[in-house]
Amino acid sequence: MTTKTKLVKRIFSSLLTAALAVPMTALTAHATGEAFFYPPKNPVMTDQQFEVSVTFSADSEIGSVQANIAYDDSVIEFVSSDNASGGGGVLTVNGFPDTPSSEVDFSFTFKGLSAGNANISLQSCQIYSPDSELIGSPTAYCVITVGSDKVETKTETETTTTTEKTTTTTTKTAPSNGIPDKGVLTALKVDNGELSPAFAYNVYNYTVNVDNSVTNVEIEGTTASPSDYIWYTGTSECQVGENVRTITVTDVDGNAATYTVTIIRAAGGDEQQTQTAQKKDSSDTSSAVSKNANVMDQYKKMLNTALAIVLIVLVIALVVIIIWIRGKIKGGKKDK
């Protein structure tokens, strides 16, 4: 095998290796992980045990998951889990899929302690590949509503000279102004910015504009009935641009209403300068491309003209040569 042949083979092998490495690198760079809470569908009462599950998913095979789960231990109590340990408001999660998979589910058993709303949030989460490479660090949270199983009643007694009447009424949480007494929100608050439009129980889409300095927005909804179940999606952390949050209210009959809040965080400081610089660079690039295109067009025109002149000169020279050769041939014949 010659030296040139070996060199060609080496170059071909290097190019093939690089071509195969590019898609693999792209896949690794775009690997992501997500997490979703699945709380109970029905309302939870005090002293009742219930399950909350978390699904971790990725666009590649999951090797293991490590995370912390924070919860409000004044409203709910941790009971047990095969993949978590702890208590007092914080759980340590460490687990892996039983079989090769891009998705894994973990379940946790809690018990209702007192009436109220309990936040359950995923913190310091890392999803790893089988090769111990970090796939993603997702965040997620949900809210568990624990209702009291006692019904408040009020008794009024009216006495007259002839009869005695006793009336018993049940206390309601919704006002008597046309708002349903279950399955909707009666109030929706954000701790930064203002809802647009103003809140109404039958308006389901809102926008909140905040300054660039705002990095966290908390949302709190009030249900029409204590037995309504409320579920939040999204994270309280705000990135520059749009951040979508949803609040779903489900009544005891399974009827659900979903409210969507889009939080728009303004760009500012370095982000704004970066965007301005990007726009300027884009403008400069477009201008440079346009100038280059004009120069190329001029060169093309000049080149086409030069080629045409050269072609004409070649044709004339060819004609002159042919005439000269013919003249030589005729002169040779005469000499003979």
Side-chain angles (χ1 to χ4, degrees):
M1 184 180 294
T2 65
T3 303
K4 289 185 177 180
T5 304
K6 290 181 179 179
L7 181 60
V8 170
K9 284 195 172 185
R10 286 180 183 175
I11 294 173
F12 178 77
S13 177
S14 299
L15 290 174
L16 181 61
T17 302
L20 292 174
V22 168
M24 293 301 293
T25 303
L27 286 174
T28 303
H30 290 86
T32 57
E34 295 181 326
F36 296 96
F37 275 104
Y38 293 94
K41 295 181 179 179
N42 298 320
V44 176
M45 300 300 173
T46 54
D47 296 325
Q48 175 188 348
Q49 290 192 2
F50 60 93
E51 260 195 11
V52 174
S53 63
V54 184
T55 297
F56 299 92
S57 61
D59 56 7
S60 59
E61 185 179 338
I62 295 176
S64 63
V65 175
Q66 299 175 6
N68 291 329
I69 290 181
Y71 64 94
D72 188 348
D73 61 347
S74 66
V75 180
I76 59 176
E77 178 185 12
F78 173 66
V79 177
S80 64
S81 174
D82 293 336
N83 303 101
S85 60
V90 178
L91 303 179
T92 300
V93 180
N94 196 339
F96 50 85
D98 295 331
T99 58
S101 175
S102 61
E103 186 174 288
V104 60
D105 298 316
F106 297 150
S107 295
F108 312 90
T109 302
F110 293 90
K111 183 177 74 171
L113 289 181
S114 61
N117 292 330
N119 288 307
I120 302 179
S121 60
L122 187 65
Q123 300 177 351
S124 303
C125 176
Q126 290 91 32
I127 301 177
Y128 292 99
S129 70
D131 299 327
S132 299
E133 293 183 0
L134 182 63
I135 295 177
S137 300
T139 59
Y141 81 103
C142 68
V143 177
I144 302 295
T145 301
V146 179
S148 174
D149 54 1
K150 298 178 181 179
V151 178
E152 298 181 17
T153 61
K154 180 181 179 182
T155 303
E156 297 177 355
T157 303
E158 179 182 347
T159 305
T160 64
T161 56
T162 56
T163 62
E164 184 177 281
K165 182 173 68 175
T166 301
T167 304
T168 303
T169 58
T170 302
T171 303
K172 294 185 178 181
T173 58
S176 57
N177 58 356
I179 299 178
D181 60 359
K182 62 181 179 180
V184 297
L185 291 180
T186 56
L188 182 60
K189 297 179 180 179
V190 291
D191 64 350
N192 280 296
E194 294 183 358
L195 292 174
S196 178
F199 175 76
Y201 80 92
N202 55 354
V203 176
Y204 300 101
N205 293 284
Y206 299 90
T207 301
V208 176
N209 290 286
V210 296
D211 295 334
N212 178 261
S213 59
V214 177
T215 60
N216 191 287
V217 176
E218 296 286 348
I219 295 178
E220 182 181 0
T222 303
T223 59
S225 170
S227 62
D228 287 338
Y229 162 72
I230 188 168
W231 182 14
Y232 298 76
T233 65
T235 175
S236 59
E237 296 179 1
C238 291
Q239 305 296 325
V240 173
E242 294 188 355
N243 302 266
V244 179
R245 308 274 294 278
T246 64
I247 307 96
T248 301
V249 183
T250 306
D251 63 20
V252 292
D253 299 322
N255 301 311
T258 300
Y259 299 81
T260 302
V261 179
T262 302
I263 302 167
I264 303 174
R265 180 185 170 195
D270 294 339
E271 292 91 348
Q272 192 169 12
Q273 292 177 5
T274 301
Q275 290 180 359
T276 303
Q278 289 176 344
K279 289 181 180 179
K280 185 177 182 302
D281 290 343
S282 177
S283 176
D284 292 344
T285 302
S286 299
S287 177
V289 170
S290 178
K291 289 180 180 179
N292 290 337
N294 292 333
V295 171
M296 289 299 295
D297 289 339
Q298 293 177 0
Y299 279 136
K300 285 181 180 179
K301 291 179 180 178
M302 292 173 61
L303 183 60
N304 290 336
T305 303
L307 289 175
I309 294 172
V310 170
L311 183 60
I312 293 171
V313 170
L314 288 174
V315 170
I316 294 173
L318 182 60
V319 171
V320 171
I321 291 171
I322 292 173
I323 294 173
W324 180 78
I325 292 173
R326 285 183 177 179
K328 283 288 186 180
I329 294 173
K330 289 181 179 179
K333 288 181 178 180
K334 288 181 178 180
D335 291 339
K336 291 180 179 180

